[in-house]
Amino acid sequence: MMNCKQATHLMSEDLDRPLRWRERMALRFHLMMCGGCRNFRQQIAFLRAAMRMRSGGN
Amino acid sequence: MAVDVCRGIFRFTRIPAGYIAVMTRGHLSPEASVTLADRLQGFFGEHRADLVRFATLQLRDPAMAEDAVQETLIAVLQGHAEFANRSTVKTWVFSILKRKIIDALRVRQREVPISQLGGSDEEREGFDTLFDQRGHWATEHRPHRWADPDDSLEQQQFWRVFELCLDHLPERTSRVFMMREFLELDTDEICQELAITTSNCWVILHRARMSLRLCLEETWFTH
Ligand SMILES: [Zn+2]
């Protein structure tokens, strides 16, 4: 079973490389049960959006 | 010649519209020259230090950074046609600086491996206390749902906080993060430039995101 610490690594890497199928499945399963990690994922997606907006990319 | 003109501009308290006319070779109407002069004046007045600081962080060489910023201004002054299609000066100038930095990174020899650049304090993961022994979020550190994040993006105060959070990243982490999220290089290119492994790169990016989200949660999205 994946823990939150591992999940944060995968969620971050998801922004930098395509996850493998097994990783995606394991992450999806973890996220179904973990509100903290669901919030984390939205937060780092927000960071990317903010960086794009910061450099004027919108 | 062009460079001298540009160097001169940095010393002016105002960018003379005449320079714009010269640099754009008369392709702009006098009114458009004045408008462009005003906008560039405002931008470089406000952001020149940011441009130099950013270029220095990426290139780690003040002279190269100065060159990149100078070349950016030259390109800015010559790129009036492109500018006509841009909504903001900032978008345009930073996109040019990005290209200049990427060019400079690609042209020069691979530098000192980033792993040799000190930064031992950031080697400590530092985020272990956020998790319990089994690696699950400790109750008091579980990430919250951020209220109205899109609304924050509209607020000037948010952007000040965001800059502070970015400034708090350790230098090496910041550099990798900016290469990824600002220059929008992919991790292979970053690894190559910095002579680090891909997985090292992912770890550094993870650390940057952990740090930034924690900073925002503690200072902006307080509950
Ligand atoms: Zn979790």
Side-chain angles (χ1 to χ4, degrees):
Chain A
M1 256 300 288
M2 180 183 288
N3 65 28
C4 297
K5 204 169 164 180
Q6 294 161 332
T8 64
H9 277 274
L10 274 189
M11 288 185 278
S12 176
E13 286 176 31
D14 192 26
L15 298 176
D16 303 317
R17 68 174 174 94
L19 296 185
R20 290 193 291 272
W21 186 83
R22 284 180 66 90
E23 293 172 325
R24 272 209 315 277
M25 289 303 123
L27 180 59
R28 190 176 295 174
F29 188 65
H30 180 92
L31 288 174
M32 280 188 329
M33 301 180 310
C34 182
C37 283
R38 282 198 297 276
N39 290 337
F40 179 89
R41 186 163 66 161
Q42 290 188 344
Q43 293 176 3
I44 63 173
F46 172 80
L47 289 178
R48 171 153 293 177
M51 285 302 292
R52 294 281 146 89
M53 189 175 270
R54 179 178 176 276
S55 55
N58 293 328
Chain B
M1 171 60 186
V3 172
D4 289 336
V5 171
C6 286
R7 293 236 161 90
I9 283 174
F10 289 134
R11 290 195 296 272
F12 282 116
T13 50
R14 287 205 47 75
I15 294 180
Y19 273 115
I20 303 286
V22 170
M23 294 303 292
T24 58
R25 298 185 194 85
H27 289 171
L28 288 185
S29 70
E31 305 80 57
S33 290
V34 171
T35 307
L36 183 55
D38 282 348
R39 296 177 77 175
L40 290 177
Q41 177 69 47
F43 182 82
F44 278 93
E46 199 179 334
H47 293 291
R48 179 157 197 279
D50 290 342
L51 295 169
V52 172
R53 191 162 45 116
F54 180 74
T56 306
L57 174 70
Q58 288 302 329
L59 296 168
R60 307 192 65 82
D61 180 333
M64 282 179 79
E66 272 298 331
D67 286 350
V69 174
Q70 301 284 6
E71 285 173 25
T72 299
L73 181 55
I74 293 169
V76 160
L77 292 174
Q78 290 168 340
H80 56 97
E82 190 190 348
F83 177 69
N85 301 320
R86 294 279 191 161
S87 54
T88 71
V89 170
K90 188 181 177 196
T91 312
W92 184 43
V93 173
F94 268 96
S95 71
I96 291 170
L97 180 61
K98 257 192 229 187
R99 285 205 301 273
K100 298 291 175 200
I101 291 173
I102 292 170
D103 289 348
L105 287 175
R106 286 183 180 152
V107 161
R108 83 172 162 190
Q109 295 279 315
R110 183 179 300 169
E111 59 173 307
V112 181
I114 196 170
S115 52
Q116 291 176 20
L117 300 171
S120 56
D121 52 330
E122 74 205 57
E123 293 301 334
R124 289 182 283 120
E125 177 91 351
F127 302 113
D128 283 345
T129 55
L130 301 179
F131 301 99
D132 66 19
Q133 299 219 316
R134 292 174 311 138
H136 292 281
W137 293 108
T139 314
E140 67 275 27
H141 294 303
R142 191 176 299 141
H144 292 85
R145 174 177 287 279
W146 288 350
D148 251 330
D150 290 346
D151 182 58
S152 294
L153 297 174
E154 308 291 325
Q155 298 181 39
Q156 285 202 338
Q157 184 59 29
F158 167 78
W159 291 105
R160 278 193 284 275
V161 170
F162 192 56
E163 289 305 316
L164 286 177
C165 289
L166 284 170
D167 285 346
H168 281 148
L169 292 177
E171 183 175 352
R172 185 172 111 111
T173 307
S174 171
R175 186 155 177 236
V176 174
F177 184 73
M178 292 307 255
M179 287 175 100
R180 178 75 188 110
E181 301 291 347
F182 182 76
L183 299 179
E184 297 180 37
L185 298 174
D186 62 35
T187 46
D188 287 342
E189 288 177 291
I190 298 172
C191 300
Q192 209 174 6
E193 162 65 17
L194 302 179
I196 57 177
T197 64
T198 319
S199 61
N200 197 344
C201 196
W202 289 329
V203 168
I204 293 171
L205 289 168
H206 172 259
R207 213 178 282 153
R209 291 173 183 131
M210 290 290 278
S211 169
L212 286 172
R213 72 146 284 274
L214 190 60
C215 182
L216 287 181
E217 181 143 299
E218 285 174 347
T219 58
W220 180 257
F221 294 103
T222 47
H223 35 281

